[in-house]
Amino acid sequence: MKKLLLAWLLCIPAVLFAQEDPKYLAGAVPEVDGKVVFSLDLAVDDQDKAAVYQHMKNWAEDVCKRPDVIDNKSRIVIENEASGEIGVTCEEYMVFSSGLGLDRTRIFYNLRINCDAGLAKIRIQNIHYLYDENRNGGTRYNAEEIITDKECLTKDKTKMYKQLAKFRKKTIDMKDNLFDSASKAFGFQQTNQARKIEPAVVQKAEEPKAVEAAPVQQVTAAPVNVQKNEEPAKKAEEPKPAKRTHIAPDLSKVEVKDTVSFTVQEGSALYELLEKTGKATLTIISENGTAQVLQFQKASSIKSADGKSCTFTGELSK
């Protein structure tokens, strides 16, 4: 039944494509190990672990009371203040249209929250849907079947299949609303304000030495050199960062979960890897010849104005 419905959705030329805001196109639905996972890391200055946990618990309770929640079925299932972990199961209605006829789906998802001093990590995962319940009890879909780049976008990544686009767009909108409300739980007015984590700067040296990306696919990246940066000048308009980290020239001194930024050329193997998976294994050679294999986990990325390069920010760890 599911295959027949998808085939029907994709075979009608008159409704084949939807042209939408670029925010819904390539890269808008990230995957981790083949599963759709939306992630937000909130850096919160001057908040200890207990305070972060309490803010996030209050927020999780509010999520369970949202207007679209079905019969109080959303609930907190994990509360562990010692480990800083909170787990929530959510079930709510997602309305596509309510004009001549009501078009909606149930959406199910899990919230996993990990709290630490100055940091809250939020993940939206295990997303699935129950659609068209009035017809033989409805049809179930996993997010991986209908909203990923592979399933929902055309080959050139510029358009969405129209009948799948409504699931992708509404899910992205739901994610944005959840992350914005999580930011406001700490007093931030918008998500990108709360997400701002100021790392030590990692720059290209004048004569860079090789950096190889060695993920599962064994991709070799363009050369990048990691250097110690002088302490940047403080800007009056920016808040004090929640965490300061520095990369020593001797990379054997790099601590676990140092936050770094570096720029790579768009279209390079490392760029494609980080955009697709958010993770890479880097072999970094310092100025004194010390080599070390480190793991990088992307937290955010910003493309240059000319579109030729992209600066990635994330955690570097052993």
Side-chain angles (χ1 to χ4, degrees):
M1 178 66 183
K2 187 183 298 184
K3 291 182 179 179
L4 289 175
L5 178 59
L6 285 174
W8 178 79
L9 292 176
L10 300 179
C11 72
I12 305 176
V15 294
L16 185 58
F17 301 127
Q19 294 184 353
E20 298 293 346
D21 190 314
K23 84 169 191 172
Y24 298 115
L25 297 179
V29 178
E31 296 181 62
V32 178
D33 296 329
K35 299 293 184 181
V36 172
V37 179
F38 294 105
S39 304
L40 175 66
D41 291 354
L42 292 173
V44 189
D45 193 19
D46 298 330
Q47 296 271 352
D48 61 20
K49 184 175 179 178
V52 173
Y53 181 86
Q54 192 58 54
H55 278 298
M56 285 291 89
K57 183 183 175 183
N58 292 343
W59 174 71
E61 291 173 348
D62 289 340
V63 169
C64 295
K65 300 174 185 176
R66 300 170 80 221
D68 294 327
V69 168
I70 302 172
D71 300 328
N72 299 314
K73 290 187 177 181
S74 294
R75 61 189 184 277
I76 297 175
V77 294
I78 298 174
E79 295 182 57
N80 191 327
E81 186 170 1
S83 66
E85 185 178 9
I86 301 170
V88 186
T89 61
C90 298
E91 179 181 349
E92 59 192 71
Y93 282 121
M94 180 179 287
V95 178
F96 303 128
S97 64
S98 57
L100 296 177
L102 178 62
D103 185 16
R104 70 182 183 183
T105 184
R106 288 182 190 243
I107 181 171
F108 308 80
Y109 59 93
N110 293 337
L111 286 173
R112 296 301 299 271
I113 309 165
N114 292 97
C115 305
D116 208 337
L119 182 65
K121 294 185 176 183
I122 306 171
R123 304 292 181 262
I124 304 174
Q125 57 193 37
N126 299 330
I127 304 169
H128 55 285
Y129 312 86
L130 178 60
Y131 181 60
D132 202 9
E133 294 180 70
N134 295 329
R135 181 177 298 178
N136 298 323
T139 306
R140 293 185 179 274
Y141 300 102
N142 294 324
E144 293 74 24
E145 295 177 290
I146 56 176
I147 70 169
T148 60
D149 287 4
K150 178 182 177 181
E151 300 297 336
C152 189
L153 302 185
T154 56
K155 288 184 178 181
D156 61 5
K157 309 298 183 185
T158 61
K159 299 181 181 69
M160 291 179 284
Y161 293 110
K162 189 172 182 179
Q163 295 301 321
L164 301 182
K166 61 185 181 181
F167 288 91
R168 182 178 172 103
K169 291 169 57 181
K170 285 292 185 178
T171 303
I172 292 171
D173 290 344
M174 182 200 74
K175 174 264 300 183
D176 289 342
N177 289 334
L178 283 170
F179 285 168
D180 281 341
S181 66
S183 303
K184 291 175 182 177
F186 290 102
F188 294 101
Q189 294 304 306
Q190 55 188 6
T191 302
N192 59 7
Q193 184 180 8
R195 295 177 73 176
K196 189 173 183 180
I197 302 174
E198 296 188 17
V201 178
V202 180
Q203 299 178 330
K204 285 188 176 181
E206 294 182 0
E207 296 182 1
K209 296 186 179 181
V211 176
E212 295 182 352
V216 175
Q217 298 91 336
Q218 296 297 317
V219 179
T220 301
V224 177
N225 189 294
V226 182
Q227 288 188 321
K228 181 177 180 181
N229 188 66
E230 296 296 329
E231 184 175 352
K234 295 181 180 178
K235 296 181 181 180
E237 67 276 11
E238 294 184 353
K240 181 181 176 182
K243 175 173 131 180
R244 295 185 183 275
T245 57
H246 298 276
I247 305 302
D250 182 355
L251 292 180
S252 63
K253 297 179 181 178
V254 172
E255 297 180 356
V256 174
K257 292 189 177 179
D258 275 333
T259 304
V260 300
S261 294
F262 58 87
T263 302
V264 298
Q265 184 178 356
E266 187 166 349
S268 66
L270 182 55
Y271 171 84
E272 296 294 343
L273 176 67
L274 289 173
E275 282 293 285
K276 183 176 181 180
T277 70
K279 297 184 291 187
T281 301
L282 304 179
T283 302
I284 303 177
I285 304 173
S286 63
E287 292 178 333
N288 62 8
T290 302
Q292 188 171 4
V293 177
L294 299 171
Q295 304 297 321
F296 177 78
Q297 175 69 54
K298 183 181 78 172
S300 63
S301 62
I302 301 176
K303 291 186 178 182
S304 63
D306 60 9
K308 294 182 180 180
S309 62
C310 184
T311 299
F312 292 92
T313 298
E315 290 183 344
L316 196 64
S317 61
K318 294 181 180 179

